[in-house]
């Protein structure tokens, strides 16, 4: 994306803050370095990646009669694979993004009714704190809670989505572990609009 934008910036080595580590999710990194005209499309492409994988799984299972009873499981598997592939890409030596946008897209493909709830949590925490990482962490922690509540209220009928949400939460928290330490030390950079 940076090459296409005719920038010389390498988003994986840009230092934001004093400790040399990138302190925000990759979409906000692009937003800070390249501006809105590239930051928003990067977020959309990352989200579309997760959404497309899940919807493609549902589409393909329709044409495989033996797999139709397991359609949701195939979709969950593709969601996990798309998020894990974003977080741990082989061609970048397993050092990828935080996976928040890809997770949002995958969730929209699997459970579109959960996305507004999770987004509301993210938005409120972000508006109050101005920390992208804190908003992402709290939203990730709220995901299994929201999914469990929807299961309790019979909006979903499988426990697999609860287990999926727990796994995704663990992955997102794992990728944000450096943000935890910076938040605790008070060195995490707040997001400011330019």
């Amino acid at each position: 994306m940076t090459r296409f934008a005719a920038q010389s910036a390498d988003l994986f080595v840009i230092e934001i803050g004093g400790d040399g580590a990138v302190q925000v999710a990759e979409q906000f990194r692009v937003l800070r370095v390249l501006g809105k005209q590239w930051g928003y499309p990067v977020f959309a492409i990352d989200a579309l990646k997760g959404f497309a994988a899940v919807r493609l799984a549902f589409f393909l299972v329709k044409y495989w009669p033996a797999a139709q009873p397991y359609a949701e499981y195939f979709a969950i598997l593709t969601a996990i694979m798309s998020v894990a592939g974003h977080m741990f890409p082989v061609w970048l030596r397993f050092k990828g993004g935080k996976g928040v946008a890809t997770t949002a897209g995958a969730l929209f493909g699997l459970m579109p009714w959960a996305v507004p709830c999770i987004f509301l949590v993210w938005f409120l925490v972000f508006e109050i704190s101005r920390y992208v990482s804190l908003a992402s962490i709290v939203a990730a922690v709220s995901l299994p809670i929201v999914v469990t509540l929807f299961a309790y209220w019979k909006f979903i009928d499988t426990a697999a989505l609860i287990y999926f949400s727990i796994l995704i939460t663990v992955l997102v928290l794992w990728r944000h572990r450096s943000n935890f330490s910076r938040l605790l030390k008070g060195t995490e950079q707040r997001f400011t609009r330019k």
Side-chain angles (χ1 to χ4, degrees), residues 12 49 85-86 88-96:
F12 292 99
K49 178 173 37 182
H86 180 84
F88 310 106
V90 175
W91 56 88
L92 294 176
R93 297 183 189 152
F94 303 101
K95 294 180 182 178

Side-chain angles (χ1 to χ4, degrees), residues 81-181:
M81 291 169 58
S82 68
V83 172
H86 180 84
M87 291 178 171
F88 310 106
V90 175
W91 56 88
L92 294 176
R93 297 183 189 152
F94 303 101
K95 294 180 182 178
K98 305 279 187 185
V100 175
T102 307
T103 297
L107 284 175
F108 193 69
L110 272 173
M111 311 175 267
W113 35 262
V115 174
C117 298
I118 302 304
F119 177 74
L120 180 63
V121 170
W122 185 94
F123 181 77
L124 290 173
V125 174
F126 176 71
E127 283 298 315
I128 291 167
S129 70
R130 304 305 294 174
Y131 288 117
V132 174
S133 59
L134 182 62
S136 300
I137 289 165
V138 173
V141 170
S142 71
L143 175 62
I145 297 166
V146 168
V147 174
T148 301
L149 287 173
F150 281 138
Y152 178 77
W153 294 325
K154 307 290 187 217
F155 290 128
I156 61 172
D157 58 356
T158 177
L161 290 173
I162 296 171
Y163 297 128
F164 162 75
S165 65
I166 291 169
L167 177 61
I168 290 297
T169 297
V170 169
L171 284 173
V172 170
L173 293 178
W174 174 257
R175 293 299 293 164
H176 281 83
R177 63 192 184 281
S178 62
N179 299 91
F180 277 122
S181 65

Side-chain angles (χ1 to χ4, degrees), residues 38-53:
W38 294 105
Y40 296 140
V42 167
F43 181 87
I45 290 168
D46 283 348
L48 183 62
K49 178 173 37 182
F51 177 79

